[in-house]
């Protein structure tokens, strides 16, 4: 069972940037696919971005394509999400679960998430 700790969230103005990080432990990180999901207040969790185990392949929700970049460092067991040109609708709690990449389906445990608030 992989343990996940998300960090890097905060309050930012629209148009700004944030970089989220996810530290993974308890599993061989380099063989698992990962992703970022978010949950806005009063809404269901939704897929944001996914990445294959090697990092060679990525996938993005249409709403963030061109603004967000997912990456991973298998030597450090970390997953990142660079978020640029942030919009108020990007507000939510962000999570980094394992996924069934290329399917946009999370599996296994969830971390506590990191909160992102984008003000207009």
């Amino acid at each position: 069972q992989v343990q996940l700790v998300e960090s890097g969230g905060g309050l930012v103005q629209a148009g700004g940037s944030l970089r989220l990080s996810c530290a993974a432990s308890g599993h061989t990180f380099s063989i698992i696919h990962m992703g970022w999901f978010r949950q806005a207040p009063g809404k269901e969790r939704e897929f944001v971005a996914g990445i294959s185990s090697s990092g060679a392949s990525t996938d993005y929700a249409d709403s963030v394509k061109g603004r967000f970049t997912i990456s991973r460092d298998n030597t450090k067991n970390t997953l990142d999400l660079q978020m640029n040109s942030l919009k108020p609708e990007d507000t939510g709690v962000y999570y980094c679960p394992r996924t069934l990449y290329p399917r946009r389906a999370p599996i296994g445990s969830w971390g506590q998430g990191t909160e992102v608030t984008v003000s207009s």
Side-chain angles (χ1 to χ4, degrees), residues 38 63-64 67-68 85-92 94 116 118:
R38 67 187 179 191
S63 59
V64 306
R67 300 188 297 120
F68 290 11
S85 303
L86 282 161
K87 305 176 180 180
E89 51 264 43
D90 294 320
T91 293
Y94 284 69
V116 172
V118 184

Side-chain angles (χ1 to χ4, degrees), residues 20-92:
L20 306 184
S21 292
C22 171
S25 61
H27 201 291
T28 305
F29 185 69
S30 62
I31 64 172
I32 59 176
H33 306 310
M34 298 292 294
W36 286 95
F37 287 70
R38 67 187 179 191
Q39 186 166 22
K43 296 186 177 181
E44 294 185 354
R45 283 177 184 172
E46 64 175 357
F47 170 82
V48 175
I51 189 166
S52 63
S53 57
S54 67
S57 182
T58 57
D59 177 34
Y60 297 92
D62 287 345
S63 59
V64 306
K65 199 171 294 183
R67 300 188 297 120
F68 290 11
T69 303
I70 188 172
S71 62
R72 65 191 295 162
D73 187 335
N74 286 347
T75 66
K76 297 180 180 179
N77 290 2
T78 57
L79 176 76
D80 289 341
L81 184 68
Q82 177 66 42
M83 306 187 297
N84 299 328
S85 303
L86 282 161
K87 305 176 180 180
E89 51 264 43
D90 294 320
T91 293

